[in-house]
Amino acid sequence: MEDSDVISFVDELLQRASDAGASDIHVQSGPDGGTISFRVDGCLAPVEKVPSSLVQRLLGRVKFLARLRTYQESFPQDGRISAGDTGIGREVRVATYPTVSGEKLVMRLYGSGPVLTLGEIGLDEEAATVLQRSISSPSGM
């Protein structure tokens, strides 16, 4: 696979996740390839299986963008990709973790939508009142 193909794949993956309203992208590598999953509305759902050769290049590209050590797989790393480098105009936090089956990568997409007010999140009146009282307390919740 060419470098330009991996660059395009990562750009398209970020765009697909953003369009789907995903808050996270999970990439789990394993001996038989990798699985890409999106977290949408709190539920993690697999969206694609990719061959080992692609998953390793994908991990390398994302680590490069996040300014992480591309060669390091044996310990966790954290980084971020600035909004200007993502192609979707949103900042992405990146975390990698070693697992028994291979490296895992999690990308958190920030700025996914408008911030809702307390009245817009759909709480009933009693729950909203209790929450508002708790938030307003000088000693915190």
Side-chain angles (χ1 to χ4, degrees), residues 1-139:
M1 172 175 280
E2 299 290 323
D3 287 341
S4 61
D5 294 339
V6 174
I7 293 168
S8 297
F9 185 81
V10 170
D11 291 346
E12 290 170 18
L13 181 63
L14 289 167
Q15 188 63 56
R16 284 176 39 208
S18 182
D19 292 346
S23 61
D24 300 328
I25 303 169
H26 290 244
V27 180
Q28 175 67 56
S29 64
D32 300 328
T35 304
I36 298 173
S37 304
F38 292 167
R39 182 176 306 281
V40 179
D41 294 331
C43 296
L44 190 63
V47 292
E48 188 171 350
K49 293 245 184 224
V50 291
S52 294
S53 60
L54 177 58
V55 82
Q56 293 309 313
R57 306 272 315 229
L58 167 65
L59 292 171
R61 174 68 182 160
V62 173
K63 286 178 169 184
F64 172 78
L65 289 171
R67 294 171 179 78
L68 301 176
R69 293 182 182 114
T70 56
Y71 58 86
Q72 188 58 257
E73 297 179 9
S74 59
F75 66 87
Q77 298 185 74
D78 289 302
R80 69 176 185 201
I81 305 171
S82 67
D85 292 336
T86 62
I88 57 172
R90 294 167 58 182
E91 186 172 307
V92 176
R93 189 184 128 247
V94 177
T96 65
Y97 310 93
T99 68
V100 225
S101 60
E103 192 170 20
K104 179 169 185 168
L105 175 97
V106 179
M107 293 181 275
R108 165 74 43 99
L109 283 64
Y110 285 104
S112 60
V115 176
L116 301 176
T117 65
L118 190 56
E120 295 172 328
I121 62 173
L123 294 175
D124 64 40
E125 190 175 325
E126 182 181 349
T129 303
V130 169
L131 182 58
Q132 185 63 49
R133 192 175 321 121
S134 297
I135 291 171
S136 302
S137 173
S139 60

